[in-house]
Amino acid sequence: MSQISVSLPDGSKRDLESGATAIDLAKSIGSGLAKAAVGAVVNGAESDLTAPLPDGAQVAIITAATDEGRHLLRHSTAHVLAQAVVQLFPGSKFTIGPAIEDGFYYDFDLPGGKTFSEEDLDLISNKMREIIKADQPFVRSEVSVSDALQLFADQPYKCEIIERVTSGGADGADADEVGSGESISVYRNTDTFVDLCRGPHVPSTGRLGHFALQKVAGAYWRGSEKGPMLQRIYGTAWESKAALEEHLTRLAEAEKRDHRRLATELDLLSFPSELGGGLAVWHPKGAIVRKLMEDYSRARHEREYQFVYTPHLANANLFATSGHLDFYKDGMYPPMEMDNGVYYPKPMNCPMHCLIFRSRQRSYRELPLRLFELGTVYRYERAGTLHGLMRIRGFTQDDSHIYCTEDQLQAEIISLLDFIMSVLRAFGFNEFTANLSTKDPNKYVGSDSIWEKATEALRGALDTYGLEYKIKEGDAAFYGPKIDIDVRDAIGRKWQLSTIQCDFNLPDRFELEYVGSDNARHRPIMVHRALFGSVERFFGVLVEHFAGAFPAWLAPVQVKVLAVAQAHEEYAASIVQHLSALGFRAEAVIADDQLGKRIRNAKVEKVPYVLVVGDDDLANGTVGVNPRGGDVQRDVALNDFVNTLRADVAEAAIPGLSQ
RNA sequence: GCCCAGGUAGCUCAGUCGGUAGAGCAACGCACUCGUAAUGCGUAGGUCGCGGGUUCGAUUCCCGCCUUGGGCUCCA
């Protein structure tokens, strides 16, 4: 029997019998590896374990507990889901079912317009477990286009995919299904179930099993509102029971941190339906946190920026000039007819800042001119898109528009990045990544050269600053390239917060000019930038990041003072008074609940410091300190506690806001 | 806007196969005066989201609307 030789990622070589597969290779290396294997990378391309290896191939085994491995498990589990649905609901048309981050989905068109209910998920899960137990093989075959069309004759969506792929119109999702080659690859599980797929897949369904179906949702075919509405089932799948459970625990943890839930529990704010969708009222506890955030923001802008204020309404002419009525009308609230014209609530602050810029002649000596405003804007978000504070219809941007010369741009961006990171760090974020969005060649204003120059300035700034970034080709708005900054929160989720956007459009539309040192008029570049983005959304992110336990400098109540018995209440009140006089937010608890209950209540409110005072404290001028997340200390001198508190609060290092 | 699931006391939820409702927590009152995460007893609290229909009778069934949540789409 002839031999083949393959090389492994570590550079070593192995000899195998001709016709050997990746699973044979894995077995020859070790039974543990064979057991963990779910796929292989052969000569750089993902491949089935059961595919014969070519002689001289570079082979890496994909194991289950890796990103690639999980992706493969999830994709295979999606096929099992499709088979289960087709079995349970005969006549179902199945469409696409990719792996996604942390899971997978599959979209179906059910006979007679049937929709899935939550109960159906159990039914489907059980059927999936049967399929997995049956250990059906995933058998790959490649067929001609005409054979494929015949094979899927009763599956119009599959036929549409095949036709698009073969006519060269495939996009990413289609390519996932069948690849983009000449022939069509399919995977067969049983005589009756075969699915279009590029693969690879696990060798058999028995390799799967640690999955959970999560929710039913509607989704448009091909993501188009004009297409039919399909029924989507979301699920997750993992390499082991433990990993699945860990994931589900993580989801539960995220749910516990949900800012809408915590906003109610901690009495921060509410969304009364009488107000209207996407609008919030801030209760005192939420408002104080917001005020502290805004105070901090203002303090940080004190030096380099000039504060401005602009109204909430503007005449339609302004938005005609800015172009918002052309490009952004769907996002704007309906107009109001008034005596001398038509007015709109502003969806953005930039047009008004441009009016300030051009209110008089500007000299190059004034640039960069940085106008700053906590500006409240109103946007008509579609009803289905509203989401707590994360997506609302009225919100406040920590908005600045910077007018500068082309030559100033890069230095400006570098210092902006530094400023942004510094502010975000003060709010407890330490992990940052950026996206650089570049020109969409089909939709842009301004010259190619200015785009190139600005994009290079942004890229250079990111490189100089040393921030990790990805380039999103073609993702910029039509008016200029941008940098978006993502942070990672305490449970590893990414949030897009800050943004820096160049604008070559508004300066033109408003005919902004400055007089240069050459005594000629020049057009400035405009940069939109926001650090929080939206104060409301940033607040929501903070609530989730801290799980409602705000750091001492932001906590609505920093100290609660509890008297052991009524006899100590006067002393408790005097401590509150003392702390308040020093500028801290302290409260005495006047309920006549038992001490343990009052402590519990304070803990549930996530107050950073609970002080308990009794006979000993009254006698000695001390307090018992029960810090959030720390151990109880008795007999602490009041001054010592004040110093601890002061140090804790000062950790945010607020310039200009020191106590 | 589209698909799905909800809307019952301040909050979290149970319930009624059609005969107008219940728990825990919270609130209030009384007693307990307590040294570090839930003392006991009691009181009050609801047009069961809104409007229509079917019915002797609707919170329950049907229709419409509003609203919330999960998705899709959207976010120049």
Side-chain angles (χ1 to χ4, degrees):
Chain A
M1 178 140 319
S2 58
Q3 297 268 306
I4 60 168
S5 170
V6 299
S7 32
L8 299 174
D10 65 1
S12 67
K13 288 197 189 300
R14 287 218 166 222
D15 293 330
L16 297 164
E17 285 183 9
S18 173
T21 65
I23 192 67
D24 296 327
L25 170 66
K27 279 180 186 155
S28 80
I29 296 170
S31 63
L33 180 64
K35 217 175 152 191
V38 291
V41 178
V42 178
N43 293 330
E46 288 199 355
S47 147
D48 293 320
L49 281 175
T50 50
L53 295 170
D55 189 23
Q58 293 274 351
V59 185
I61 302 295
I62 299 175
T63 54
T66 59
D67 286 347
E68 295 84 1
R70 290 185 197 108
H71 187 91
L72 211 150
L73 287 176
R74 287 164 188 159
H75 194 178
S76 296
T77 307
H79 277 237
V80 174
L81 167 61
Q83 187 188 152
V85 168
V86 170
Q87 281 188 36
L88 288 169
F89 305 96
S92 299
K93 311 298 179 214
F94 52 120
T95 68
I96 59 167
I100 53 176
E101 190 175 0
D102 289 343
F104 60 89
Y105 67 80
Y106 215 113
D107 286 347
F108 303 94
D109 188 357
L110 298 180
K114 182 194 151 46
T115 55
F116 289 125
S117 68
E118 302 282 328
E119 293 84 71
D120 290 334
L121 290 187
D122 286 337
L123 204 68
I124 296 165
S125 284
N126 291 337
K127 179 60 78 180
M128 287 173 71
R129 290 189 201 288
E130 282 174 31
I131 294 167
I132 286 166
K133 205 166 171 197
D135 200 16
Q136 300 170 357
F138 277 89
V139 182
R140 179 191 178 93
S141 50
E142 308 219 347
V143 298
S144 68
V145 170
S146 63
D147 285 352
L149 287 173
Q150 201 177 341
L151 196 54
F152 293 103
D154 60 343
Q155 290 292 342
Y157 296 95
K158 294 294 178 188
C159 292
E160 192 180 325
I161 295 168
I162 295 165
E163 274 156 12
R164 280 179 68 95
V165 169
T166 52
S167 68
D171 60 19
D174 292 331
D176 246 11
E177 288 296 308
V178 287
S180 43
E182 298 287 304
S183 60
I184 302 290
S185 60
V186 300
Y187 279 78
R188 181 178 288 281
N189 287 114
T190 69
D191 290 346
T192 50
F193 185 77
V194 58
D195 195 356
L196 211 54
C197 191
R198 179 178 57 175
H201 281 288
V202 293
S204 67
T205 58
R207 191 66 191 71
L208 309 171
H210 307 293
F211 76 92
L213 297 187
Q214 295 170 297
K215 52 201 170 196
V216 185
Y220 296 107
W221 168 236
R222 312 196 69 84
S224 162
E225 279 186 274
K226 297 189 188 83
M229 174 63 68
L230 305 173
Q231 289 287 303
R232 173 172 298 180
I233 294 178
Y234 281 95
T236 186
W238 294 81
E239 68 276 12
S240 66
K241 188 164 183 239
L244 172 63
E245 278 172 3
E246 200 186 305
H247 177 66
L248 295 177
T249 307
R250 253 198 317 275
L251 291 180
E253 171 63 19
E255 201 173 317
K256 263 191 260 169
R257 288 170 177 257
D258 188 308
H259 72 282
R260 291 162 304 185
R261 177 197 182 103
L262 287 168
T264 306
E265 285 175 10
L266 300 176
D267 197 16
L268 302 174
L269 50 87
S270 57
F271 298 90
S273 53
E274 297 88 330
L275 245 193
L279 300 166
V281 287
W282 293 69
H283 302 2
K285 293 251 165 64
I288 181 74
V289 178
R290 175 179 176 159
K291 178 177 180 295
L292 290 159
M293 290 164 56
E294 293 179 347
D295 288 348
Y296 182 82
S297 172
R298 287 204 181 87
R300 294 296 306 266
H301 284 87
E302 205 70 63
R303 274 195 205 152
E304 309 285 344
Y305 289 78
Q306 309 205 40
F307 291 8
V308 297
Y309 292 95
T310 62
H312 290 208
L313 300 178
N315 192 293
N317 295 331
L318 177 67
F319 299 117
T321 302
S322 69
H324 285 91
L325 285 179
D326 292 335
F327 302 110
Y328 199 72
K329 194 153 195 239
D330 290 346
M332 291 169 70
Y333 266 82
M336 281 166 267
E337 306 274 343
M338 305 223 281
D339 35 28
N340 64 340
V342 176
Y343 286 74
Y344 284 90
K346 63 174 168 181
M348 298 185 194
N349 302 303
C350 31
M352 304 201 184
H353 290 186
C354 287
L355 293 181
I356 295 172
F357 181 92
R358 75 168 193 193
S359 62
R360 63 171 169 79
Q361 272 200 340
R362 299 288 174 180
S363 153
Y364 72 96
R365 295 175 198 275
E366 290 182 78
L367 305 185
L369 178 72
R370 310 183 185 93
L371 303 180
F372 174 77
E373 175 178 18
L374 287 168
T376 302
V377 297
Y378 295 89
R379 296 186 185 174
Y380 179 73
E381 302 284 1
R382 294 164 82 181
T385 65
L386 300 173
H387 179 88
L389 288 174
M390 303 308 180
R391 191 86 179 263
I392 53 182
R393 284 178 169 163
F395 59 95
T396 304
Q397 297 178 303
D398 59 333
D399 205 3
S400 177
H401 296 96
I402 299 170
Y403 302 88
C404 64
T405 68
E406 279 180 37
D407 294 341
Q408 290 170 332
L409 185 60
Q410 182 158 339
E412 191 61 25
I413 304 297
I414 293 170
S415 81
L416 254 178
L417 288 173
D418 192 43
F419 182 44
I420 290 171
M421 300 311 147
S422 158
V423 169
L424 294 181
R425 277 181 214 283
F427 286 92
F429 298 106
N430 297 304
E431 266 188 73
F432 309 99
T433 50
N435 289 307
L436 173 61
S437 297
T438 61
K439 188 173 72 184
D440 177 350
N442 300 316
K443 201 177 57 176
Y444 68 100
V445 300
S447 67
D448 289 331
S449 75
I450 185 104
W451 271 86
E452 213 165 288
K453 213 165 166 180
T455 306
E456 278 319 304
L458 295 183
R459 192 200 311 271
L462 286 164
D463 288 334
T464 305
Y465 189 73
L467 185 63
E468 185 195 321
Y469 65 96
K470 283 199 187 112
I471 295 181
K472 288 186 161 175
E473 296 286 353
D475 213 42
F478 73 86
Y479 51 75
K482 65 170 177 176
I483 294 172
D484 289 320
I485 310 245
D486 294 338
V487 303
R488 214 171 263 283
D489 75 5
I491 55 171
R493 294 174 300 177
K494 264 191 178 184
W495 301 93
Q496 198 244 298
L497 296 176
S498 312
T499 183
I500 302 173
Q501 311 195 2
C502 296
D503 191 330
F504 315 132
N505 180 47
L506 285 182
D508 266 354
R509 285 182 161 268
F510 281 92
E511 299 179 322
L512 302 185
E513 286 174 338
Y514 63 90
V515 178
S517 58
D518 57 358
N519 198 30
R521 290 167 185 268
H522 302 275
R523 185 132 295 165
I525 287 187
M526 179 172 163
V527 178
H528 308 248
R529 51 105 282 188
L531 311 193
F532 298 157
S534 138
V535 175
E536 287 81 351
R537 180 167 179 275
F538 190 76
F539 176 90
V541 172
L542 282 186
V543 169
E544 304 212 357
H545 176 58
F546 293 123
F550 291 105
W553 75 278
L554 278 173
V557 177
Q558 296 167 318
V559 184
K560 281 222 178 199
V561 187
L562 316 190
V564 169
Q566 259 164 15
H568 317 118
E569 278 187 358
E570 206 175 307
Y571 179 60
S574 76
I575 288 172
V576 167
Q577 203 173 20
H578 180 67
L579 293 173
S580 301
L582 292 173
F584 297 110
R585 296 181 292 281
E587 283 180 1
V589 177
I590 46 174
D592 59 0
D593 289 319
Q594 290 186 347
L595 181 62
K597 179 64 176 295
R598 283 176 284 148
I599 288 169
R600 181 185 144 77
N601 286 345
K603 292 291 181 186
V604 168
E605 285 173 44
K606 302 174 195 285
V607 174
Y609 294 95
V610 177
L611 302 187
V612 173
V613 294
D615 285 335
D616 300 346
D617 301 300
L618 185 54
N620 304 318
T622 58
V623 293
V625 181
N626 186 338
R628 189 176 61 200
D631 296 327
V632 172
Q633 276 183 286
R634 287 284 302 270
D635 307 315
V636 177
L638 183 55
N639 270 344
D640 291 346
F641 170 69
V642 168
N643 288 334
T644 304
L645 180 57
R646 193 170 270 147
D648 194 357
V649 168
E651 228 166 72
I654 318 169
L657 275 191
S658 53
Q659 297 272 344

